Amino acid sequence: MSNALNNIIKSHTGRSRTATLEDVAKEAGLSPMTVSRALNNPKVVRPATIARVMEAVSATGYIPNMLAGGLATSRTKLIAVVVPQINNNMFVDTVQAISDELAARGYHMLLCIVGYEPEAETEIVATLLSRRPDGIVLTGIHHTSELKRIILNATIPVVEIWDLTPTPIDMLIGFSHEKVGNAIGEYFTAKGFTRFGFICASDRRAVVRKNGAISVLQRNPAHNIKEVIVSRPANMEVGRSALKQLLREGERFDAIICSSDTLAQGAIMEAESQGLRVPDDFSVIGFADLNFAAHNRPAITTVSVDKWELGIRAADMLADKIEGVPVGEPIVDMGYRLVIRESA
């Protein structure tokens, strides 16, 4: 940093102060207006000028005030992404894809963990809006009426992910959890199975998948169905404990249907500890096709959703709408794929 600039940034008390836009302009030998334009709208500034500005930013340690810039341009370049949890691998790929795609388009992601209680989601989103994000990504379609009112009043683009409805708040990309459950029920019905155990996490989407499978299985009154609803987080330990509970009274099963691959992995481990073999003694199926599912022994049969592509497309839909680019389809059904492996 130049001596002259050192003198600028030192206050009369001798203590350092935060560098300003004017400090950057002085270091770069440009007007403050040119520096502001280079930082906030680089498309209209020559590359050589941008380079000078960035060198000056580095030299001064200047931190752009994105909120102040947003007041003038109605843009903060901040996107709030709201998910129920991050200790659930099911959301990791989607969140990372959203982050990467938003970064590539010049936006910053603010990740918010809200749990599964709708009231907590409402409170946190209301707080988020005080940061004036350019857009919001919400997980799921079930929100309080208060949250919907707050978002509609904010008049900012919203993308809901990981579910499907014909009446989203704004835009939506996801898949039908009910149809996923239907597909699982039809798969095991076709195999001639009659005795089913469910290990299901206590969240709304998991329960919808479970009920979708049960609705198919109950078409045959001879089918016997038992279920255990487990607490969150639905990890391997919980999967083991749930299978132990299902087997406690000597019940026999043809298939154990789990609401996640992690629960399925735990069930397989518990079966082995009890001297049972999957799929010889019973089949096990999970959900989400997490990165370990294909490499487990036995490899886990599951339902796959393209979590990465879902995140990319959600980010693009949101960025397009913010930038005034027409969004072709505001509702996108990503579908799903039944992946048959050794466990079922």
Side-chain angles (χ1 to χ4, degrees):
M1 185 185 302
S2 67
N3 289 332
L5 192 62
N6 268 319
N7 292 333
I8 291 171
I9 296 182
K10 292 284 186 176
S11 70
H12 69 278
T13 63
R15 291 180 296 180
S16 295
R17 64 174 175 81
T18 302
T20 67
L21 187 74
E22 288 71 21
D23 296 331
V24 176
K26 188 176 291 290
E27 176 73 4
L30 299 166
S31 71
M33 183 178 294
T34 300
V35 172
S36 177
R37 191 179 296 117
L39 292 173
N40 296 312
N41 194 12
K43 292 180 181 179
V44 301
V45 180
R46 292 184 302 169
T49 301
I50 293 172
R52 285 175 62 184
V53 170
M54 297 315 296
E55 287 177 7
V57 166
S58 178
T60 59
Y62 173 68
I63 300 173
N65 186 337
M66 297 305 293
L67 182 56
L71 293 174
T73 64
S74 299
R75 297 276 181 86
T76 61
K77 291 293 184 178
L78 184 69
I79 304 295
V81 177
V82 180
V83 296
Q85 58 183 150
I86 56 171
N87 61 345
N88 183 338
N89 289 337
M90 206 173 292
F91 300 113
V92 170
D93 284 351
T94 297
V95 169
Q96 187 64 59
I98 291 172
S99 177
D100 290 353
E101 189 66 12
L102 287 176
R105 296 192 60 163
Y107 295 89
H108 306 283
M109 183 182 79
L110 176 61
L111 180 62
C112 307
I113 314 303
V114 299
Y116 285 91
E117 298 302 323
E119 292 75 17
E121 180 189 48
T122 300
E123 182 179 345
I124 290 175
V125 170
T127 302
L128 280 174
L129 289 174
S130 69
R131 300 292 186 94
R132 302 182 67 252
D134 288 340
I136 296 181
V137 178
L138 296 176
T139 302
I141 58 175
H142 300 284
H143 316 287
T144 66
S145 57
E146 176 68 8
L147 174 60
K148 292 179 181 179
R149 184 186 64 78
I150 290 170
I151 289 177
L152 290 172
N153 286 343
T155 63
I156 62 173
V158 177
V159 175
E160 293 166 285
I161 62 170
W162 209 254
D163 213 330
L164 207 60
T165 178
T167 56
I169 295 173
D170 184 8
M171 299 175 289
L172 174 98
I173 180 165
F175 55 95
S176 169
H177 291 267
E178 181 180 16
K179 289 182 179 179
V180 168
N182 294 162
I184 291 172
E186 289 163 0
Y187 175 68
F188 285 124
T189 296
K191 292 175 77 70
F193 290 176
T194 60
R195 299 167 301 181
F196 304 94
F198 283 84
I199 300 176
C200 181
S202 56
D203 75 77
R204 189 189 296 261
R205 287 174 292 275
V207 171
V208 169
R209 294 194 299 274
K210 172 184 70 72
N211 291 342
I214 289 176
S215 69
V216 172
L217 298 176
Q218 285 181 333
R219 294 171 187 168
N220 185 340
H223 285 170
N224 183 40
I225 299 168
K226 305 289 184 182
E227 61 182 83
V228 174
I229 304 297
V230 301
S231 60
R232 299 181 296 267
N235 54 32
M236 284 187 290
E237 180 184 359
V238 171
R240 291 193 64 169
S241 177
L243 182 65
K244 190 181 297 183
Q245 184 176 339
L246 284 171
L247 297 175
R248 188 166 293 156
E249 297 178 0
E251 191 83 30
R252 294 176 62 84
F253 296 95
D254 297 318
I256 302 296
I257 300 169
C258 302
S259 64
S260 73
D261 292 342
T262 307
L263 289 173
Q265 188 180 41
I268 290 170
M269 292 174 65
E270 180 60 29
E272 183 178 348
S273 74
Q274 295 197 28
L276 300 170
R277 294 180 62 83
V278 175
D280 296 342
D281 292 296
F282 52 77
S283 295
V284 173
I285 189 170
F287 171 78
D289 198 16
L290 300 180
N291 56 9
F292 63 81
H295 306 287
N296 196 71
R297 287 295 172 264
I300 299 173
T301 293
T302 186
V303 177
S304 178
V305 176
D306 195 335
K307 300 178 287 297
W308 192 270
E309 179 66 15
L310 189 154
I312 290 174
R313 294 181 68 177
D316 281 336
M317 289 171 73
L318 198 59
D320 283 349
K321 188 154 189 179
I322 291 167
E323 295 165 11
V325 177
V327 176
E329 293 292 338
I331 300 175
V332 178
D333 184 353
M334 290 289 294
Y336 57 87
R337 181 169 56 93
L338 190 62
V339 181
I340 309 302
R341 299 193 180 110
E342 297 166 352
S343 72

